[in-house]
Amino acid sequence: IAHDAKKPAMERFVGDHLDFFRSRPLVATNSTGKMLADAFGLDVERVVHGPLGGDLVIGGRVACGEVEAVFFFRDPLTAQPHDPDVVALLRVCDVHAVPLCTNATTADAVVDWLKSQSAG
């Protein structure tokens, strides 16, 4: 997931870790998923746009144990009309101990950790 101002950072990040993302099933909100599918040819399941409930759909997947990590590049400087949905997604990741990355630095660390889990 990436807020509009963070989509370029998400695209760079995924491009830097393309082999990793090609090896995993992916789910994203609609516009982020389309961006990644168009840019890299990734097979991305796309749910509705974040403000229309996409963040909640992904949060439901987290609660059901279907998501191993959430990469959500948030724009902390712009008010989001669906902020309660964003907070709910953050909360469900905490409740279910699912790694949540809100920027490229933490995302790099989580990708490295997930790779080490797969290798072991």
Side-chain angles (χ1 to χ4, degrees):
I1 307 167
H3 286 149
D4 290 342
K6 296 298 181 175
K7 282 187 179 14
M10 175 65 80
E11 186 174 348
R12 281 189 304 275
F13 168 73
V14 171
D16 289 345
H17 299 282
L18 200 49
D19 287 342
F20 172 80
F21 285 102
R22 287 194 194 283
S23 72
R24 300 281 200 292
L26 304 174
V27 62
T29 52
N30 190 51
S31 59
T32 302
K34 180 177 180 350
M35 174 195 69
L36 297 175
D38 290 349
F40 303 113
L42 291 169
D43 182 20
V44 182
E45 177 190 354
R46 295 181 345 207
V47 300
V48 297
H49 185 56
L52 299 178
D55 301 332
L56 294 175
V57 171
I58 292 175
R61 302 265 180 98
V62 169
C64 290
E66 299 171 7
V67 174
E68 69 178 338
V70 173
F71 298 87
F72 185 177
F73 286 20
R74 299 173 53 219
D75 179 2
L77 302 178
T78 303
Q80 301 297 326
H82 62 294
D83 197 53
D85 295 353
V86 171
V87 171
L89 176 58
L90 303 178
R91 182 178 299 114
V92 78
C93 287
D94 286 343
V95 167
H96 293 276
V98 170
L100 170 68
C101 314
T102 59
N103 60 62
T105 302
T106 55
D108 284 334
V110 168
V111 165
D112 288 345
W113 177 76
L114 288 170
K115 285 179 181 178
S116 75
Q117 299 301 301
S118 297

